[in-house]
Each structure stands twice: as C-alpha cells, then as structure tokens.
C-alpha cells in the first residue's frame, strides 16, 4: 500500500445550539461529531477539538457578557471576581467523558473523568516549560495558578488533542467499509462547579471566595473537530470500500471510582480486561469534587480533616498491589514510611507511579520534582547562586509546589498484558487516615484491545 496524499479535514458538530455555544449550565452538555465512512486511514494523533472558551460571571448573558476578571482591574478590587480553570489541565477540564464508537453503534472506547486522568498524565509527561509554552498555546495550561488565572480573563481560542487510547496509538485507523465504517466522537461536558476553581493566586495571596463562585459558568463556542486522513492508492481504496475481514490492536483507557477512609484499607476492583498493561490511581478529598472553592483536578496526597477542613496530610506508609489476593507484580510491600515521616521523596512509590504512565526508562522530563513533591527548591538565584526559597507557596521561577501524587504499577513490562478477566485487582494502602476523612480514588486502567471487523460487523475483544 502506498499513500497518495494527506487530507487535512475540519468538521462541525452534528448538534449545534442556536448560539453555537455549548454550556453545562445552559443545557447543552453534549457535543457530537461524525467522521464519515470513507476508504481512507485516520491518523488518530491528529484529532483535535478546536474552539473558544469563555468564563462567565453568574450575571453574564449572551447579549451582555460579563467575563471573570482575575486581574481585579474592572470591578474595583472585588474579590468575588476570581475564577479560573485548573492550571495543569487547562481547557480539557471542561470534558468529563469521551465516547468513541463506530457508525454501527459499536462502542470502541469510553474515557470517564477525563480531566482527572489528564491531571496525572499531563503532569508526568510534560515539564514546567511545556505547560508554559507549547501545551499552553493549545490547552491553556500554566505551571503556576497565577498565570493560568490571567490567561482566561478574555475569550481564548484553544486546540486540544483528545488523549484516548485509540487516538493516541501509532496505528492509523481504517474508517472505510473494510474497517470501522466511520467514527462517532461524543464529548460530555463537566459541571461548572467541577471546572472552576473558586480561588486563584493573582497577587501571591490565596483568595477563597467562600461560595461566591456559585453561578459562574463556562461556554465552549464555535467548536470544530480537525484531523488528518491518509488517502491510499486506487487499488487499496477499492479494497477498503468492500466489506472484508481484518483486525487491529489498540490501547483503551477505562475508569473506576471508589472511596478510601480507613488507615488500612484494601480496595478490590473487577477490571474485566484480558491484556492489562498498567493501573494507576490519584486521590482527592471527596468534598472537593464539584466544589467552586476547590481545584477539582488537583492531585494531592491523602488528607485528614482538621478544624472542619482537609488541612492535614495523612502520609502513606505502605502500598501493596495484588492479583487474586497475591502480591503481584511487585512481590513485596512498597514501604515509604520513613520517607513520609521525614517529608522526603517517596522514591519507590513515585517511580512505580511514573512507570504506570510512561516507561521509567523513557522518563526524560516532567513537572514532577522535589519542588512539587516536597517543596524543596530545585532552582538557584542567578545573582547569588543560593537556593530560591519558597515563601507562602510562591517562587516565581518554579512551578507551584503542589504535589503530583498518585499510586500505580505497570502490570507487564513486556507489554503483553496481564489477564484480569476472572481475577480481581487489589490495592492495599496503609496510611494515617483517621476514618473520618473520606478521600476519593480515581482508578485508570490501560489495557490492550483487539478490534475485529468483517462483513457481519465489528467485535471488540478485551
């Protein structure tokens, strides 16, 4: 097969609202696109959602829009005007779920809690420089909340990739009759209270609006989907237009939700995947979900409630990964008690977490550093050569010192996959949780699927 040309395509949604603006608050939380059946190959990594985002105050209308003002230079210093996106996830935080299916209604992949997935993956695979340059240009991210807040004071254009397993693979996707017969892309938007942070660091001081963010809403406007198609030679195009048999393998990402509360708790999950490559988890105090006053996409360590707020860390002491109740693939407990007690990097825990997202042997740059994990300066003064001390959470040369915390494991270093269809995956965490401070666990599973197509239809084998 030879490729004759590359087509660059842009399509509009199937369900455009009257004002061409998608908004959870205004009743348009679903966006649908159709990539039609044609004898061509889709380059999944080029699929991008394009548009403009507008962050609105509660009184904003279509005729008289009132945008958030994190500069506080329009409203006379009104502290209620502080609302921004998650600086590390950016505009992708507006997407709660991505569903990919064939034109024959065969579901190929569903990624739920997409923003929480990116909160870990994007921070592990992109550095501070990335978040402030190339990723910022497309996704509106920033390594510091202050910069992210300034970024969304006006309507801003974006062009974000859809980082699902199917679209992120290196294999081109046949979308002809001898293939998946077209692709449906459905995006379900996040609630406004999940997207907004009710405080922002705009002048070095954390400003908590104590509920004043309620009613803020976002709009995604003028949306389109762009992608590249490979046009094969005439002989291959003819074959792709006729029903036949074939198959392709691709990775899929699935999500499970649970809650941890006890100091020694074992979570068991029925993954239902036959070729499981890796599993990772990130955490968030449960009341911080869908909360205007909190960043719902932060990735903190486990926390206890003190004085009515989740203000005290509950250090993790030991972690075990289980398969059918037996330690696997790490055949010992990951013991980080000493490092936790001394506020030092939990090296073994963090290396395995990183390895679950990106092979550690290829780990070349990341947002993760002693600065983010332990507030230990990793920069020096260009004038004196001394460490730049973090004061009140601020160091203008470094990323915000908020941890990129998670627990994970690569199930199979050889990328063959481990069978969890008839066996439970288990996670045991021993920590200082007090039993009265529920923390949510977001679990993401990377597994390999096989898509088989024939004149009778499409089947997915996981």
């Amino acid at each position: 097969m030879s490729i004759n040309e590359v087509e660059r395509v842009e399509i509009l949604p199937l369900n455009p609202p009257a004002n061409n603006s998608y908004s959870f608050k205004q009743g348009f939380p679903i966006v649908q696109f159709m990539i039609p059946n044609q004898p061509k190959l889709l380059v999944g990594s080029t699929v991008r959602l394009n548009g403009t985002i507008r962050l609105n105050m509660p009184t904003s209308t279509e005729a008289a829009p009132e945008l958030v003002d994190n500069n506080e230079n329009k409203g006379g210093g009104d502290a209620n005007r502080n609302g921004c996106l998650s600086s590390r996830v950016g505009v992708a935080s507006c997407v709660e779920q991505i569903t990919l299916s064939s034109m024959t209604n065969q579901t190929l992949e569903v990624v739920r809690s997409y923003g929480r997935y990116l909160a870990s993956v994007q921070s592990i695979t992109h550095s501070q420089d990335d978040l402030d340059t190339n990723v910022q240009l497309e996704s509106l991210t920033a390594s510091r909340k202050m910069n992210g807040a300034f970024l969304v004071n006006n309507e801003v254009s974006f062009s974000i990739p859809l980082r699902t397993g199917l679209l992120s693979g290196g294999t081109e996707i046949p979308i002809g009759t001898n293939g998946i017969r077209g692709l449906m892309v459905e995006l379900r938007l996040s609630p406004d209270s999940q997207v907004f942070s009710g405080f922002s660091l705009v002048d070095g001081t954390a400003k908590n609006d104590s509920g004043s963010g309620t009613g803020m809403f976002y709009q995604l406007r003028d949306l389109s989907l762009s992608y590249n198609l490979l046009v094969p030679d005439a002989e291959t195009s003819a074959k792709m237009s006729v029903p036949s048999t074939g198959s392709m393998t691709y990775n899929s990402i699935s999500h499970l939700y649970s809650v941890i509360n006890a100091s020694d708790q074992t979570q068991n999950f029925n993954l239902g995947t036959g070729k499981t490559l890796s599993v990772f988890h990130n955490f968030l105090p449960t009341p911080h979900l869908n909360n205007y006053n909190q960043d719902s996409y932060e990735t903190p360590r486990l926390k206890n409630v003190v004085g009515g707020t989740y203000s005290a860390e509950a250090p993790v002491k030991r972690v075990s990964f289980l398969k059918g109740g037996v330690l696997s693939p790490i055949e010992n407990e990951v013991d980080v008690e000493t490092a936790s007690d001394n506020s030092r990097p939990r090296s073994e825990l963090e290396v395995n977490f990183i390895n679950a997202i990106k092979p550690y042997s290829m780990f070349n740059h990341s947002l993760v550093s002693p600065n983010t994990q332990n507030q230990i300066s990793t920069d020096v003064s260009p004038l004196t050569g001394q460490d730049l001390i973090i004061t009140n959470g601020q160091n203008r040369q470094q990323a915000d010192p908020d941890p990129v915390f998670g627990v994970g494991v690569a199930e199979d270093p050889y990328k063959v996959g481990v069978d969890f269809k008839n066996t439970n995956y288990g996670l045991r965490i021993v920590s200082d949780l007090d039993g009265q401070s529920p923390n949510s666990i977001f679990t993401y599973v990377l597994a390999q699927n096989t898509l088989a197509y024939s004149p009778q239809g499409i089947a997915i084998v996981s």
Side-chain angles (χ1 to χ4, degrees), residues 286 404 440 443 453:
T286 301
V404 184
S440 295
T443 299
Y453 45 87

Side-chain angles (χ1 to χ4, degrees), residues 163-192:
R163 301 184 190 278
T164 74
L166 176 62
L167 298 180
S168 298
T171 303
E172 290 78 17
I173 305 167
I175 58 173
T177 301
N178 185 23
I180 64 173
R181 302 169 189 179
L183 181 67
M184 293 291 298
V185 180
E186 180 179 285
L187 309 177
R188 188 179 300 271
L189 302 186
S190 303
D192 299 289

Side-chain angles (χ1 to χ4, degrees), residues 310-330:
Y310 281 83
S311 55
E313 284 194 6
V316 171
K317 298 178 178 179
R318 297 188 300 279
V319 174
S320 303
F321 302 99
L322 310 168
K323 183 177 187 290
V326 179
L327 289 170
S328 175
I330 302 174

Side-chain angles (χ1 to χ4, degrees), residues 88 123 126-129 131-132 142-145 201 299 301 313 343-346 350 363 366-380 387-405:
R88 294 184 179 178
S123 298
H126 294 83
S127 68
Q128 177 181 357
D129 290 338
L131 293 183
D132 290 332
S143 66
R144 302 179 66 243
K145 293 185 179 72
L201 296 170
T299 50
R301 299 184 181 93
E313 284 194 6
S343 298
R344 308 305 292 178
R346 292 99 167 139
E350 291 177 358
F363 183 64
S366 172
L367 189 65
V368 175
S369 73
N371 166 53
T372 59
Q373 306 304 85
N374 299 87
Q375 298 191 24
I376 300 173
S377 179
T378 58
D379 206 347
V380 297
D387 286 346
L388 290 170
I389 306 301
I390 298 173
T391 305
N392 297 325
Q394 294 297 297
N395 183 327
R396 298 186 184 278
Q397 282 71 38
Q398 301 189 119
D400 283 336
D402 300 325
V404 184
F405 181 72

Side-chain angles (χ1 to χ4, degrees), residues 276-403:
T276 310
L277 301 176
S278 66
V279 185
F280 74 86
H281 317 260
N282 58 39
F283 308 87
L284 185 72
T286 301
H288 290 189
L289 283 170
N290 293 321
N291 187 334
Y292 276 108
N293 295 321
Q294 303 294 337
D295 180 359
S296 297
Y297 297 99
E298 65 179 348
T299 50
R301 299 184 181 93
L302 296 175
K303 290 187 175 182
N304 282 324
V305 174
V306 176
T309 63
Y310 281 83
S311 55
E313 284 194 6
V316 171
K317 298 178 178 179
R318 297 188 300 279
V319 174
S320 303
F321 302 99
L322 310 168
K323 183 177 187 290
V326 179
L327 289 170
S328 175
I330 302 174
E331 298 179 354
N332 60 275
E333 287 187 320
V334 178
D335 189 341
V336 292
E337 182 171 4
T338 302
S340 297
D341 289 343
N342 290 281
S343 298
R344 308 305 292 178
R346 292 99 167 139
S347 299
E348 187 176 2
L349 193 66
E350 291 177 358
V351 166
N352 282 291
F353 172 55
I354 292 167
N355 198 40
I357 296 173
K358 181 178 182 177
Y360 192 69
S361 60
M362 301 172 62
F363 183 64
N364 51 4
H365 69 160
S366 172
L367 189 65
V368 175
S369 73
N371 166 53
T372 59
Q373 306 304 85
N374 299 87
Q375 298 191 24
I376 300 173
S377 179
T378 58
D379 206 347
V380 297
S381 169
L383 299 178
T384 65
Q386 295 178 335
D387 286 346
L388 290 170
I389 306 301
I390 298 173
T391 305
N392 297 325
Q394 294 297 297
N395 183 327
R396 298 186 184 278
Q397 282 71 38
Q398 301 189 119
D400 283 336
D402 300 325

